[in-house]
Amino acid sequence: AQSVTQPDIHITVSEGASLELRCNYSYGATPYLFWYVQSPGQGLQLLLKYFSGDTLVQGIKGFEAEFKRSQSSFNLRKPSVHWSDAAEYFCAVGRSNTGNQFYFGTGTSLTVIP
Amino acid sequence: GAVVSQHPSRVICKSGTSVKIECRSLDFQATTMFWYRQFPKQSLMLMATSNEGSKATYEQGVEKDKFLINHASLTLSTLTVTSAHPEDSSFYICSAHPGQGDGYTFGSGTRLTVV
C-alpha cells in the first residue's frame, strides 16, 4: 500500500540554524515527490518537486530536497532558517503529476525561535 | 502561474443547513479537481475527485449524499455540505492540475464551522 511517513510531528529550530525535515515513502511504482508548505489558516504552496533526473532538487524560498531511492526518502533541507519559515510542511507522493493517486504525509510543524 | 481560487475562506453555519464552497481555476481549464478535508493538526485526506461533465468519484467512507459535488464547467467545481453537523467542521481545500510540469495547485481553503 502507498504511504508517506513524516516521522517528526514537530520541530523547533533557532533562526539561522539549518533544517532537515524527514520524509519516507512506500510506493509500488516510480514516485512523483512533492513538498508543500502551509501557513496557519492558508492553503498549500508547492515548495519543490521531483519527477526524474538530478536527485537533488531546488525549490523556492531557499529549500532543497534530495531523493534517495535506496532509502525511500525525500528529505527537505534549508541551510539557514528564517522566522517566516514557521509553518506546517507536508510531503506528498503521487503516481504521476496529474492523477488522483496523491498521498500526503501527516505533516511536520516547524517552530522558529529567535 | 496557475491559480486556484476558493470561496468563501471562512463560513459559519447552523446545524441542519447547507453550505456551498466554490473552487475556480482562474487561468487554466481543469477537467478534474480534487477536494480534500483537513482536521486540526492532521494531514489532508482526499474526499473526492470532481470530473467535469460526469459524476464525482468519492473516496471510501465519504458520504456522497452529504458532500455533493458539481463540476459545472471547466473552471468551476462546487462542494456542498448538506445538513451540516458540528462534526463537519473542518478545513476544506480544493486542488487542480494546470496541465504543465508542476504539481497540483491548491486553493487557499475554506474553514467551515457548524454551530
Side-chain angles (χ1 to χ4, degrees):
Chain A
Q2 296 84 355
S3 67
V4 180
T5 302
Q6 293 180 246
D8 304 305
I9 296 174
H10 185 241
I11 284 182
T12 300
V13 299
S14 298
E15 190 169 17
S18 63
L19 171 71
E20 182 170 32
L21 303 182
R22 295 183 290 168
C23 173
N24 293 96
Y25 66 90
S26 173
Y27 208 74
T30 301
Y32 286 67
L33 296 159
F34 308 84
W35 274 99
Y36 286 88
V37 60
Q38 183 182 34
S39 298
Q42 301 295 312
L44 278 73
Q45 181 181 23
L46 178 67
L47 283 177
L48 47 77
K49 60 190 182 293
Y50 172 77
F51 294 163
S52 64
D54 191 347
T55 56
L56 182 64
V57 293
Q58 303 297 320
I60 63 171
K61 303 184 179 184
F63 286 92
E64 67 177 26
E66 185 171 13
F67 170 57
K68 293 185 177 180
R69 185 185 298 275
S70 61
Q71 298 178 18
S72 297
S73 69
F74 189 57
N75 294 347
L76 181 71
R77 300 194 293 252
K78 186 169 184 177
S80 178
V81 171
H82 188 262
W83 64 267
S84 60
D85 293 325
E88 189 85 17
Y89 291 81
F90 292 96
C91 179
V93 62
R95 183 178 67 178
S96 72
N97 61 340
T98 58
N100 64 344
Q101 292 188 8
F102 199 70
Y103 303 92
F104 283 89
T106 51
T108 298
S109 177
L110 174 65
T111 297
V112 180
I113 57 177
Chain B
V3 176
V4 171
S5 174
Q6 192 170 338
H7 179 81
S9 58
R10 294 178 180 272
V11 58
I12 301 173
C13 71
K14 293 183 178 180
S15 292
T17 63
S18 295
V19 174
K20 180 184 287 188
I21 303 170
E22 292 186 348
C23 180
R24 294 181 184 273
S25 56
L26 295 187
D27 48 4
F28 65 98
Q29 294 183 333
T31 56
T32 304
M33 292 185 176
F34 305 94
W35 288 96
Y36 292 84
R37 181 174 183 176
Q38 183 182 33
F39 290 105
K41 305 297 184 183
Q42 296 188 26
S43 186
L44 289 79
M45 298 299 295
L46 179 65
M47 298 175 63
T49 302
S50 172
N51 303 298
E52 191 270 336
S54 64
K55 292 182 179 180
T57 305
Y58 290 83
E59 296 300 301
Q60 189 173 9
V62 177
E63 300 175 59
K64 58 183 65 177
D65 294 332
K66 180 168 189 60
F67 297 100
L68 300 180
I69 291 174
N70 185 296
H71 201 136
S73 72
L74 289 172
T75 59
L76 174 63
S77 175
T78 60
L79 169 68
T80 301
V81 183
T82 63
S83 188
H85 285 215
E87 54 264 34
D88 297 326
S89 298
S90 189
F91 194 58
Y92 295 86
I93 306 177
C94 67
S95 75
H97 191 278
Q100 298 171 13
D102 290 330
Y104 294 92
T105 297
F106 285 82
S108 55
T110 297
R111 174 72 62 192
L112 170 63
T113 303
V114 184
V115 298

